[in-house]
Amino acid sequence: MLSADKKKELKSLYKLLNIKKQNDELMNEALTHPSYNSERNNLSAPDYERLEFLGDSVLRISVSEFLFDKYPSYPEGKLTKIRSCLVSDHFQDSCEF
């Protein structure tokens, strides 16, 4: 449950960004860095990492679908290599396909 102060802060953010009211709990989770909870010894509080996991998965499937449609003659291995160069947690200097 969010405090009244936190809800007020989020309301100000929505106004500043000119967006409609959102799900305050979800927005708070999306904006919370894990270190914030760690510093407050509140490790069970939600942070953005679960949402980041979901977003990464959506990005991977979107890129996979694009590559699958764009390059119908490419085998699975080549598509995987291209996707891993495009969607990677670590920058890769040697992305050749």
Side-chain angles (χ1 to χ4, degrees):
M1 186 74 167
L2 295 178
S3 69
D5 286 342
K6 182 60 81 171
K7 287 184 179 189
K8 188 176 178 182
E9 289 174 357
L10 289 171
K11 185 177 179 180
S12 295
L13 178 63
Y14 302 147
K15 186 175 181 178
L16 177 70
L17 297 176
N18 195 29
I19 58 175
K20 293 179 185 177
K21 182 176 178 353
Q22 304 293 311
N23 176 324
D24 288 344
E25 298 282 342
L26 188 59
M27 182 64 80
N28 186 62
E29 182 176 340
L31 296 171
T32 302
H33 192 276
S35 64
Y36 178 83
N37 292 331
S38 179
E39 289 170 2
R40 284 151 186 79
N41 292 323
N42 193 5
L43 299 177
S44 63
D47 59 47
Y48 67 71
E49 287 188 322
R50 286 179 47 85
L51 296 171
E52 182 181 27
F53 167 79
L54 182 61
D56 289 348
S57 299
V58 170
L59 180 60
R60 280 187 190 91
I61 197 164
S62 297
V63 169
S64 296
E65 181 180 19
F66 172 80
L67 293 173
F68 187 84
D69 291 342
K70 178 85 173 163
Y71 304 106
S73 64
Y74 284 16
E76 176 270 338
K78 188 167 187 171
L79 293 171
T80 299
K81 190 171 186 178
I82 295 169
R83 184 189 62 205
S84 71
C85 285
L86 296 173
V87 182
S88 175
D89 295 335
H90 306 287
F91 180 74
Q92 298 177 15
D93 289 327
S94 59
C95 281
E96 297 177 28
F97 13 91

